[in-house]
Amino acid sequence: MKRAATVLLTVALLLCANVVRSNATYAGEPGEPELSDVRDFLFMAPERPLFIRLHIQVDGRSFREQPDVLAERLFATLDADENGALNEEEAKEIPPRNRFRDASQSTPITFAELDRDGDSQISPDELRRFVRQNVGEPLQIERPPGSRKLDAEIFNQLDAGSDGVVTAEEILNTRTKLAKYDIDDDETLSKLEFAALLPPVNADTASVGTTLIALDNSRWQSDVALKILKVYGKPSASHGDRRHLSREELGVDAATFAKLDTDGDGGLKLAEITALVQDPTPQIELLAELDSRRKRTTVSPISESAGVDFRPGRNGRLTLFIPGTEILIDSERSGVTARDESKLFRLRFLQSDRDKNGYLDEGEFSGLDLTGAEFAAVDRDGDGMLMVKEVARYVDQRMSLARNQISLTVAMDGKSLFDMLDVNTDRRLSPREFREAMSHLEEWDINQDGRLVLAEIPSKYKLTFSLGQSLLFPGGAMAAQPENMEARRPDANRDAPVWFQKMDRNRDGDISNREFLGPPTAFQSIDSNSDGLIDVEEAKAIEKPSP
């Protein structure tokens, strides 16, 4: 049917995947509560944990209503006689069951399955129930691999005591421990060497090791609570194992703390912190208004918190300034239109029809380059002949899914821990950089307790709402290229004595005991500051004529 080519499947809002309230049912059924527009996050800020509540609305409606929006548009498209119900002929154009989640799949749906009340017609409510059941979870967070994962692994390696804090002594004693990462055996550690040995990510606990955590799964809520205790709790004479957290350390108001402190001992234990994670009291509330027509998001504060500054920007963006951290919330717009996609696939159809008989057989089908699609899924009538209208219908459905997807991507947008330790920016960590690390890290030790926690490391985050990405041009034409993690080998020793340049085989600007070709006594005499390394100035000093 011609109208099938115009069916727009505006579905699968993929956002930040917090399902703390995922058991809330949809409005419209008897006893259903009003749909919430809330998603909660925990931000591990340097000084204290911050619970952030996002109110997410799409075109003025809760994001949870998006399956209903899809059902309404689909019904209006299929109800050709506009009588408020779909007959069996009209219902044939309802996409197969799995098509809502994955356009490459087709699981047939019978009219009887759709017609729940058996009145031989499909009502708007019946179609709505079917769409809800098959759209799947409408919210999802996108967290691309980035430097924070590398930061966490480096921090874990420095943290010899596995207590969530790093001391100067631990950093000094870590160099030998990290030798296993030195794949090329040059006494330096590059980003590539670290990244190659990163442990695999557990899908169930991936967000627990990050600074911005979507409170979305009861299976790891106790892990999140334990993380809060480790990062923000301070040892005390009575609770050196950090089993308690004071109100000052948690940063909540007195009433909230009293409610959580069920045993009234003035400190929160793991179970009490877990209760807060399960039902958070937000310290920051933001409203994210997504405009599907303009493909734009406007973010504004609903409530403010002490120590957090808000700075509105152009095109609806908002920046949160937290001591040691910035969070920019922005949106990304796709410049690819439905017309672009339709034209491309019609052109591919003509090119693939090698015998010019007006249809594609299974052998010609691959020329369409429909990733993940099977011939049978596109050949809706199953006659073995793929007509251009069938391709157009399939592409319209699949691209509508992609064009109307909404995701929230959380990514690092600044220097990593590796970059800050890499003082000479050669993409390697040398023995000297390890030795001098704590002198650089002292400025990050916000509470000046001589210890460093991961949350104290300054970071910059970017949260990007994306309302619709083309499957043909994912990420846009100017997609960012992956970071080059290969070590650079700058010629930093040009002013050094020739013997120094030849011995400094890894060209890190120092000569180690291993690189030095002379006797140990000579090394010790040249190493005037006894730091175990000969630098350029020490090498030059022995060549100066005696007075």
Side-chain angles (χ1 to χ4, degrees):
M1 301 175 69
K2 291 183 177 180
R3 61 179 177 277
T6 65
V7 176
L8 298 178
L9 304 181
T10 310
V11 67
L13 272 179
L14 301 178
L15 270 167
C16 41
N18 176 341
V19 292
V20 171
R21 294 171 176 78
S22 62
N23 58 342
T25 50
Y26 288 88
E29 304 251 5
E32 289 177 344
E34 183 179 353
L35 291 176
S36 171
D37 62 2
V38 167
R39 282 300 190 221
D40 287 319
F41 291 86
L42 168 65
F43 182 71
M44 303 292 288
E47 296 180 335
R48 60 187 173 95
L50 285 174
F51 289 91
I52 301 175
R53 175 160 293 172
L54 270 178
H55 294 262
I56 304 165
Q57 298 180 1
V58 183
D59 299 330
R61 301 171 66 170
S62 167
F63 64 85
R64 288 192 177 91
E65 295 184 54
Q66 291 310 298
D68 292 351
V69 173
L70 166 61
E72 292 164 6
R73 294 179 181 177
L74 181 59
F75 190 94
T77 302
L78 299 181
D79 186 17
D81 55 16
E82 299 182 354
N83 68 346
L86 303 181
N87 57 38
E88 191 165 358
E89 184 64 26
E90 291 169 329
K92 288 181 180 179
E93 297 305 320
I94 296 174
R97 191 190 307 276
N98 287 1
R99 188 66 61 82
F100 287 96
R101 301 190 189 202
D102 183 354
S104 68
Q105 302 297 320
S106 293
T107 300
I109 179 73
T110 65
F111 187 82
E113 289 178 279
L114 293 167
D115 183 19
R116 296 177 61 178
D117 59 10
D119 65 353
S120 299
Q121 59 184 8
I122 308 302
S123 68
D125 277 347
E126 287 171 326
L127 181 61
R128 180 168 58 90
R129 292 189 188 100
F130 169 73
V131 172
R132 286 178 183 173
Q133 292 169 359
N134 292 281
V135 162
E137 172 56 46
L139 306 178
Q140 195 172 69
I141 191 169
E142 301 288 339
R143 195 184 295 276
S147 57
R148 201 59 176 179
K149 180 182 173 185
L150 185 63
D151 277 357
E153 177 62 14
I154 295 174
F155 189 91
N156 289 340
Q157 294 294 336
L158 295 175
D159 181 17
S162 301
D163 57 358
V165 297
V166 169
T167 65
E169 183 180 0
E170 285 177 325
I171 294 178
L172 290 175
N173 294 334
T174 299
R175 183 65 188 84
T176 302
K177 180 183 176 183
L178 295 181
K180 63 182 179 181
Y181 287 88
D182 187 10
I183 299 173
D184 58 8
D185 196 30
D186 69 346
E187 297 188 280
T188 68
L189 298 169
S190 70
K191 266 191 177 182
L192 189 61
E193 287 172 327
F194 264 116
L197 294 176
L198 285 177
V201 176
N202 184 329
D204 287 340
T205 60
S207 67
V208 177
T210 63
T211 301
L212 186 69
I213 302 171
L215 302 177
D216 58 353
N217 197 311
S218 60
R219 287 178 295 175
W220 66 63
Q221 285 171 348
S222 61
D223 293 334
V224 174
L226 183 60
K227 181 182 178 75
I228 293 173
L229 287 174
K230 280 189 173 183
V231 171
Y232 300 104
K234 293 183 175 64
S236 65
S238 57
H239 298 98
D241 56 0
R242 297 194 218 180
R243 295 296 180 86
H244 283 56
L245 198 63
S246 68
R247 185 170 79 85
E248 291 72 21
E249 291 168 334
L250 190 57
V252 299
D253 60 82
T256 298
F257 190 86
K259 179 181 176 182
L260 294 168
D261 186 16
T262 55
D263 57 10
D265 66 350
L268 300 188
K269 297 182 287 296
L270 180 60
E272 292 165 328
I273 294 292
T274 302
L276 174 62
V277 173
Q278 291 171 339
D279 187 18
T281 300
Q283 294 148 303
I284 300 174
E285 285 194 77
L286 304 173
L287 173 61
E289 298 176 285
L290 285 65
D291 185 333
S292 64
R293 183 181 62 85
R294 301 173 65 190
K295 298 291 190 293
R296 175 172 156 180
T297 302
T298 301
V299 184
S300 54
I302 297 177
S303 66
E304 299 185 2
S305 174
V308 180
D309 294 325
F310 300 91
R311 183 180 300 171
R314 298 179 59 188
N315 298 322
R317 68 178 60 180
L318 180 71
T319 302
L320 281 64
F321 292 91
I322 303 168
T325 305
E326 293 180 21
I327 304 176
L328 170 64
I329 307 177
D330 199 1
S331 58
E332 182 179 79
R333 290 162 290 279
S334 172
V336 180
T337 67
R339 181 175 296 181
D340 295 332
E341 293 160 343
S342 179
K343 283 183 177 180
L344 176 61
F345 276 101
R346 288 177 182 274
L347 178 59
R348 286 184 183 176
F349 182 95
L350 295 174
Q351 293 172 335
S352 301
D353 184 14
R354 294 187 294 270
D355 54 14
K356 305 304 178 186
N357 60 0
Y359 66 87
L360 304 184
D361 57 34
E362 197 160 356
E364 296 169 320
F365 174 69
S366 62
L368 288 177
D369 196 22
L370 283 171
T371 304
E374 297 180 359
F375 183 82
V378 187
D379 182 21
R380 187 71 180 274
D381 59 14
D383 63 359
M385 297 185 297
L386 201 58
M387 312 302 292
V388 68
K389 291 182 179 179
E390 289 177 306
V391 173
R393 175 175 60 190
Y394 178 90
V395 170
D396 279 345
Q397 291 179 355
R398 185 169 185 182
M399 294 308 173
S400 293
L401 285 168
R403 285 192 302 268
N404 293 285
Q405 283 180 342
I406 300 176
S407 63
L408 179 62
T409 302
V410 180
M412 283 287 293
D413 191 34
K415 280 189 173 183
S416 67
L417 172 58
F418 186 101
D419 295 328
M420 292 178 175
L421 293 173
D422 181 22
V423 177
N424 65 0
T425 68
D426 66 349
R427 300 193 185 119
R428 300 178 296 163
L429 300 184
S430 67
R432 181 173 298 281
E433 286 169 329
F434 272 100
R435 288 178 180 277
E436 299 177 354
M438 201 59 194
S439 63
H440 301 294
L441 303 186
E442 283 177 354
E443 60 184 283
W444 305 342
D445 182 14
I446 294 176
N447 58 10
Q448 296 298 302
D449 64 353
R451 308 178 309 159
L452 189 68
V453 298
L454 184 59
E456 286 181 309
I457 298 170
S459 55
K460 195 173 181 181
Y461 282 87
K462 186 175 183 180
L463 279 60
T464 306
F465 284 99
S466 178
L467 291 86
Q469 289 295 317
S470 168
L471 290 182
L472 298 177
F473 310 100
M478 300 300 291
Q481 296 297 315
E483 179 185 7
N484 179 11
M485 296 192 293
E486 288 284 1
R488 290 192 297 241
R489 306 279 173 163
D491 189 8
N493 302 332
R494 282 181 294 183
D495 296 332
V498 174
W499 64 267
F500 183 97
Q501 296 182 39
K502 291 183 177 180
M503 287 190 191
D504 183 18
R505 292 188 294 276
N506 63 10
R507 306 196 65 75
D508 67 345
D510 289 301
I511 295 177
S512 66
N513 269 295
R514 182 176 161 189
E515 292 175 315
F516 190 69
L517 300 179
T521 53
F523 183 94
Q524 293 168 6
S525 65
I526 301 173
D527 180 19
S528 58
N529 60 6
S530 300
D531 66 351
L533 297 168
I534 298 175
D535 61 28
V536 174
E537 294 306 314
E538 289 172 326
K540 288 180 178 178
I542 67 169
E543 296 203 343
K544 291 179 180 179
S546 300

